[in-house]
Amino acid sequence: MNSRTQFESATGADGVVHVTLRINGTAYRLPLDPRATLLDCLRETVGLTGTKKGCDHGQCGACTVHVDGRRVNACLSLAVMHEGEEITTIEGIGQPGALHAVQSAFLARDAYQCGYCTSGQIMSALALLGEPCGPKDADVRECMSGNICRCGAYPNIVAAIQHVRGKS
Amino acid sequence: MRSFAFVRTDDVSAAIAASADSSTAQQGASARFVAGGTTLIDLMKLNVERPERVIDINRLPLDRIEPLADGGLKIGATVRNSDLANHAVVRRDYPVLSQAVLAGASAQLRNMATTGGNLLQRTRCMYFRDTASACNKREPGTGCSAILGANRTLAILGTSEHCIATNPSDMNVAMAALEATIHVRGIRGERSIAIADFHLLPGDTPHRETVLEPGDLITHVTLAPPAPGSRSCYLKLRDRASYEFALASAAVIVTVVGGRVARARIALGGVGTKPWRSTRAESVLTGEPVSGPAFRKAADAALHDARPRSQNAFKVELARRCLVHALKEVTL
Ligand SMILES: Cc1cc2nc3c(=O)[nH]c(=O)nc-3n(C[C@H](O)[C@H](O)[C@H](O)COP(=O)(O)OP(=O)(O)OC[C@H]3O[C@@H](n4cnc5c(N)ncnc54)[C@H](O)[C@@H]3O)c2cc1C
Ligand code: FES
Ligand code: FES
């Protein structure tokens, strides 16, 4: 079947797909198993372990990263789907000594306990700043509902975000 | 997750051709389109979906929302749920749709989820998601674990002795009330399907959920112009305030003239095996004065055929009250 080989050209005979991903401004040429999620690719292949795996099923938000500036769950996306897109992880928004304002606010407001959910919370919070989200604490809670915190640091997470928005 | 061949194309015909030799477009499909991936990849990790070929449709030119000449709206299949909900025309002319989409999932998931994928999202029934359990929807003929099992969140309308799985979508409930039309392109050309005819009742074939055939690609959805003078809303009741599926929900579109209901469109979510339009409730309500008792009569009609199981009898009254409340919201 001629057409079929043409369509399957994306996957090589060895089952590997060669993809260039742009992550935090750097291009990575990667041989990927099509099954690899963006989350596993970031953590295992590229070695960026700041992005966390909580549930692996879209139910917790620990894996939140930005794709072309929009927040998504990296666990429910295949890495091979993101050729040509700009991926931003927690490692790409600030560095020790030069923290992003959202990172500083999380520190100042003590917006975490164990810290496992924190990179996802911060990536979500950063995206929220550019989304239609009402001014109230309740609005922030709704917009942040896709990030679960098992430690229950929610009040301080909301306070940190409202601080950055100038609403506290 | 099973291995699969990954295919990407920016051409609609090529995408259709790449999926046309699938065994079925229903449970057990050997080829699957991937859009947002939030249903498909989730289920592939659970081995509930085991496609041999996955066709990425995110580069197809189906990502636009466009006004139609008749005053209606055309919504592309790969429009993200967040873009749909926040679109100025959707917010103004179809508030019920904007509200329903925003009531679903989380901001991250809505950034990924698409119109076509949401129409085809699968049930959250835990037995369907667990390959160790009997489930007629996943493995025809194995039985239904839910009927005598954990069925608190499952359906009370449109069920059969073979399946009581709920259609979990919020968007679909609004689309049902709006009488949306789904446009499909397949190997034999294009066709359009009224949303009422798109999803199938489980009957004795719960593994068949829609009328789609191998190769069928949803290209877009169209909405008729908003009914003049109508008001609409979506009300969703659930176990937690956000990021949770509906226990019961209601999409209502009502036109009131001189204190009486001149036109009503009513659909329920969280309680049906498919997005549950209730034409019976609509006709009971039409011509009635705007009042609590009239709304209650409509709600009784909507739930008349409810068939609760061991753990979900509470849903009958919850759904009634949900509908009454939604009707008050748009009329009082
Ligand atoms: C944790 C969690 C919570 C959620 N909560 C809610 C909620 O509260 N309310 C709610 O309504 N939903 C909820 N969802 C479901 C979510 O809305 C759906 O997963 C999403 O809408 C599916 O869209 P998608 O583009 O990601 O689909 P995909 O996963 O890409 O595709 C789903 C199916 O549709 C097929 N498909 C996709 N596009 C097309 C097309 N154009 N033509 C033909 N076939 C196509 C695919 O082959 C696949 O079989 C939740 C999901 C998760 C993971
Ligand atoms: S790990 Fe992705 S949402 Fe939990
Ligand atoms: S700080 Fe521990 S999970 Fe949020």
Side-chain angles (χ1 to χ4, degrees), chain B residues 1 69-70 83 97 114 178 181 236 282 284 325:
Chain B
M1 196 189 293
D70 69 354
D83 294 329
L97 180 58
T114 60
L178 289 164
T181 303
K236 177 176 179 182
E282 292 168 7
V284 164
H325 200 88

Side-chain angles (χ1 to χ4, degrees), chain A residues 71 125 128 133-146 154 157-162 165 167:
Chain A
R71 50 173 159 159
L128 176 156
C133 173
K136 301 201 196 82
D137 286 4
D139 299 320
V140 173
R141 282 199 291 273
E142 168 59 31
C143 293
M144 289 296 290
S145 72
Y154 299 111
I157 292 169
V158 173
I161 295 169
Q162 291 292 53
R165 302 170 88 211
K167 302 244 158 46

Side-chain angles (χ1 to χ4, degrees), chain B residues 117-161:
Chain B
N118 201 327
L119 281 165
L120 294 170
Q121 69 167 287
R122 312 296 300 279
T123 186
R124 304 297 294 195
C125 175
M126 64 152 93
Y127 303 107
F128 172 73
R129 292 170 62 82
D130 170 22
T131 54
S133 298
C135 169
N136 288 324
K137 188 184 276 301
R138 181 172 31 74
E139 295 281 345
T142 55
C144 173
S145 307
I147 287 179
L148 297 174
N151 52 40
R152 179 176 175 274
T153 63
L154 298 182
I156 52 175
L157 289 166
T159 62
S160 74
E161 288 316 303

Side-chain angles (χ1 to χ4, degrees), chain A residues 45-162:
Chain A
T45 311
V46 185
L48 293 171
T49 53
T51 307
K52 302 302 182 204
K53 182 186 285 191
C55 64
D56 215 19
H57 284 280
Q59 299 174 3
C60 77
C63 65
T64 303
V65 300
H66 296 186
V67 173
D68 288 342
R70 295 161 64 122
R71 50 173 159 159
V72 300
N73 303 96
C75 69
L76 286 188
S77 204
L78 301 174
V80 290
M81 291 163 64
H82 294 289
E83 175 125 54
E85 293 170 339
E86 192 64 51
I87 295 151
T88 310
T89 69
I90 189 76
E91 289 91 345
I93 65 164
Q95 295 300 322
L99 294 182
H100 188 280
V102 177
Q103 291 173 308
S104 303
F106 268 63
L107 271 175
R109 297 294 169 126
D110 196 18
Y112 45 77
Q113 287 180 41
C114 77
Y116 198 80
C117 71
T118 309
S119 53
Q121 299 278 3
I122 289 174
M123 295 311 287
S124 233
L126 182 51
L128 176 156
L129 301 178
E131 293 172 3
C133 173
K136 301 201 196 82
D137 286 4
D139 299 320
V140 173
R141 282 199 291 273
E142 168 59 31
C143 293
M144 289 296 290
S145 72
N147 293 82
I148 306 290
C149 174
R150 290 304 304 267
C151 298
Y154 299 111
N156 292 359
I157 292 169
V158 173
I161 295 169
Q162 291 292 53

Side-chain angles (χ1 to χ4, degrees), chain B residues 76-331:
Chain B
T78 60
V79 169
R80 305 294 151 178
N81 282 182
S82 48
D83 294 329
L84 175 61
N86 292 318
H87 193 272
V89 175
V90 177
R91 295 184 79 113
R92 186 193 66 205
D93 291 347
Y94 309 98
V96 64
L97 180 58
S98 177
Q99 290 167 18
V101 172
L102 289 176
S106 67
Q108 291 96 311
L109 288 161
R110 293 191 294 269
N111 275 342
M112 307 168 79
T114 60
T115 319
N118 201 327
L119 281 165
L120 294 170
Q121 69 167 287
R122 312 296 300 279
T123 186
R124 304 297 294 195
C125 175
M126 64 152 93
Y127 303 107
F128 172 73
R129 292 170 62 82
D130 170 22
T131 54
S133 298
C135 169
N136 288 324
K137 188 184 276 301
R138 181 172 31 74
E139 295 281 345
T142 55
C144 173
S145 307
I147 287 179
L148 297 174
N151 52 40
R152 179 176 175 274
T153 63
L154 298 182
I156 52 175
L157 289 166
T159 62
S160 74
E161 288 316 303
H162 304 281
C163 185
I164 59 169
T166 318
N167 183 303
S169 171
D170 294 299
M171 184 193 83
N172 292 352
V173 184
M175 291 284 195
L178 289 164
E179 302 174 282
T181 303
I182 298 160
H183 299 262
V184 173
R185 235 179 98 178
I187 35 180
R188 278 182 292 275
E190 295 174 21
R191 63 194 199 280
S192 48
I193 305 158
I195 187 160
D197 304 326
F198 184 78
H199 298 96
L200 303 174
L201 291 173
D204 54 10
T205 54
H207 58 288
R208 292 198 62 82
E209 296 181 349
T210 67
V211 296
L212 293 184
E213 297 291 340
D216 281 349
L217 176 79
I218 298 172
T219 53
H220 59 282
V221 171
T222 51
L223 302 178
S230 64
R231 286 179 63 194
S232 74
C233 88
Y234 186 73
L235 178 65
K236 177 176 179 182
L237 306 178
R238 42 189 156 170
D239 280 332
R240 63 179 178 193
S242 186
Y243 201 14
E244 184 58 270
F245 289 92
L247 289 170
S249 70
V252 299
I253 308 167
V254 180
T255 313
V256 176
V257 177
R260 288 184 181 270
V261 174
R263 179 184 184 274
R265 292 293 178 272
I266 293 173
L268 300 178
V271 288
T273 52
K274 60 181 261 184
W276 201 259
R277 169 102 181 264
S278 180
T279 49
R280 192 189 301 199
E282 292 168 7
S283 46
V284 164
L285 194 57
T286 306
E288 290 291 310
V290 167
S291 68
F295 297 162
R296 185 73 203 180
K297 259 188 7 197
D300 287 343
L303 275 299
H304 182 264
D305 292 335
R307 167 94 207 268
R309 309 283 166 165
S310 55
Q311 301 175 349
N312 62 8
F314 76 100
K315 279 192 170 191
V316 181
E317 183 58 16
L318 190 72
R320 284 196 199 110
R321 293 186 190 187
C322 183
L323 178 54
V324 169
H325 200 88
L327 288 168
K328 286 184 178 165
E329 195 75 25
V330 293
T331 54

